[in-house]
Amino acid sequence: MPMCKCFASIAGYLHCLEKSGDFLMKRICVVGSLNVDFTIILPRFHAPGETISGSDFAVYTGGKGGNQAVALGRLGADVAMAGRIGDDENGSLYRRILRQERVRDDFVSVCDTPTGVALIEVDARTGDNRIALFSGANAQVDAAFIDRLWPALSAYDIFLMQFEIPMPTVLHAAEKIAGLGKTLIVDPAPAQPLPEALRRCAAYITPNETELALITGMPIGDQAQAQAAAQALCAQGARGVVAKLGAAGALLVTPEGAQHVPGFAVRAVDTTAAGDSFNAGFAFALAQGKSPLEATVFANAVGALSTTAMGAQAAMPSLDAALALMARTR
Ligand code: RIB
């Protein structure tokens, strides 16, 4: 596998991003979930039937869709969120946060089901998490919701979707997005089978190793196996597969070839939403006209920094912070 040569060109990359005012940045829309996360820090994950005490607890806004939107807002993207919340305090909290983070919330509507909730355990030793999810209002993001918004949504250039809204809705929206020739980035998380139609509609698919194994049915014991699986997936129609490898970075596979893009070393406190932040970084760089390889380098920086504090969204970086990490590692 060829080593990543992209760090040689980071000086130019930084220059271009720093001058981003000169670019006509593409508009990004995230279609997906909005959850409120109840997060507890435990000395270790607990076993069935066992009760153990945590050292910290907090309530954060989260959900894979909302996390991607907030990460994009923090980077300075022109971003809108499309999703649903309940008529409750969690929903109001989320709307406040979206506005605070400069995410357009016109496409977030209230329904009569409670806002989605996630119960998250974080292992204090590793920052790893376990999540139990209640979809709530996210389950009301249906095809009719997409159709109602479509006249406005279709003005966006790049779309991100994940799997915390119903799969029929994801498919419905994906057909519409691809039908207009727009760029669709699909994060197949949480892991579930990837319908054939979605493989055709997605420009980029961004699984982690677990998701890649489930989607392809291939073993992912090491990087070579991950590359083989990503290549098999890419051969089914996507412009690129970006396999997230955690601290090891990412594997970019396009019809032209495969490249390992190393991760950035940080001290991880809570890895919740690292994948969501990665996707946001990837979309942000593409929106600025960067190549998929440059976008993967940038995504690694955004994903890494997002793990350095508790909570899904707390450590999502500004553009300056992401560039500073990349510059330090040059
Ligand atoms: O990807 C992290 C997210 O997954 C959390 O914020 C939680 O809400 C779950 O949806």
Side-chain angles (χ1 to χ4, degrees):
M1 187 182 314
M3 273 301 292
C4 177
K5 297 194 186 73
C6 42
F7 289 99
S9 65
I10 279 190
Y13 182 88
L14 295 177
H15 179 66
C16 290
L17 276 176
E18 279 156 7
K19 280 168 50 68
S20 61
D22 297 350
F23 288 86
L24 185 57
M25 184 145 55
K26 291 187 174 146
R27 302 174 76 202
I28 305 174
C29 181
V30 180
V31 181
S33 58
L34 296 155
N35 298 329
V36 168
D37 295 349
F38 293 81
T39 304
I40 186 161
I41 312 295
L42 296 175
R44 58 177 169 79
F45 293 137
H46 68 281
E50 185 188 27
T51 301
I52 52 176
S53 294
S55 57
D56 203 357
F57 167 78
V59 178
Y60 302 101
T61 44
K64 297 187 191 305
N67 289 340
Q68 294 184 358
V70 167
L72 279 159
R74 212 165 282 173
L75 288 168
D78 180 348
V79 57
M81 176 74 208
R84 306 203 78 178
I85 50 177
D87 184 10
D88 49 27
E89 276 183 25
N90 287 342
S92 307
L93 166 70
Y94 221 129
R95 200 181 281 288
R96 271 202 313 282
I97 294 292
L98 290 175
R99 291 179 182 172
Q100 185 182 304
E101 300 290 352
R102 280 171 297 186
V103 177
R104 282 191 61 175
D105 69 336
D106 321 32
F107 312 136
V108 174
S109 71
V110 174
C111 63
D112 58 9
T113 310
T115 301
V117 165
L119 303 180
I120 304 185
E121 293 177 15
V122 176
D123 183 325
R125 299 165 304 177
T126 59
D128 290 336
N129 63 66
R130 282 186 179 177
I131 304 180
L133 204 59
F134 166 66
S135 306
N138 299 308
Q140 306 299 322
V141 179
D142 55 13
F145 171 84
I146 300 294
D147 289 345
R148 263 196 314 279
L149 292 175
W150 190 245
L153 292 185
S154 59
Y156 284 76
D157 307 297
I158 297 177
F159 290 81
L160 292 105
M161 287 200 287
Q162 332 70 34
F163 291 171
E164 286 184 341
I165 57 172
M167 184 57 83
T169 314
V170 174
L171 286 170
H172 183 74
E175 298 279 5
K176 282 173 148 341
I177 293 163
L180 288 183
K182 310 272 182 171
T183 300
L184 170 61
I185 302 170
V186 172
D187 183 1
Q192 56 178 295
L194 189 68
E196 199 269 326
L198 208 46
R199 299 174 196 227
R200 279 188 286 101
C201 293
Y204 298 98
I205 306 171
T206 63
N208 65 20
E209 290 154 290
T210 309
E211 292 147 6
L212 186 58
L214 184 138
I215 289 168
T216 60
M218 295 168 70
I220 315 278
D222 56 28
Q223 213 167 283
Q225 288 184 329
Q227 179 173 325
Q231 280 172 319
L233 181 57
C234 191
Q236 293 169 0
R239 218 180 291 162
V241 171
V242 193
K244 294 171 286 197
L245 306 177
L251 200 55
L252 172 66
V253 173
T254 66
E256 289 74 48
Q259 192 144 16
H260 174 233
V261 183
F264 293 89
V266 293
R267 191 180 159 271
V269 173
D270 178 1
T271 59
T272 309
D276 307 331
S277 304
F278 179 99
N279 276 273
F282 188 73
F284 180 81
L286 288 186
Q288 291 204 321
K290 296 293 159 196
S291 71
L293 178 57
E294 290 167 320
T296 305
V297 176
F298 185 69
N300 273 342
V302 176
L305 284 170
S306 76
T307 67
T308 56
M310 271 288 297
Q313 298 171 0
M316 286 171 174
S318 65
L319 175 57
D320 282 351
L323 293 178
L325 176 64
M326 291 167 67
R328 273 204 303 281
T329 316
R330 242 186 295 188

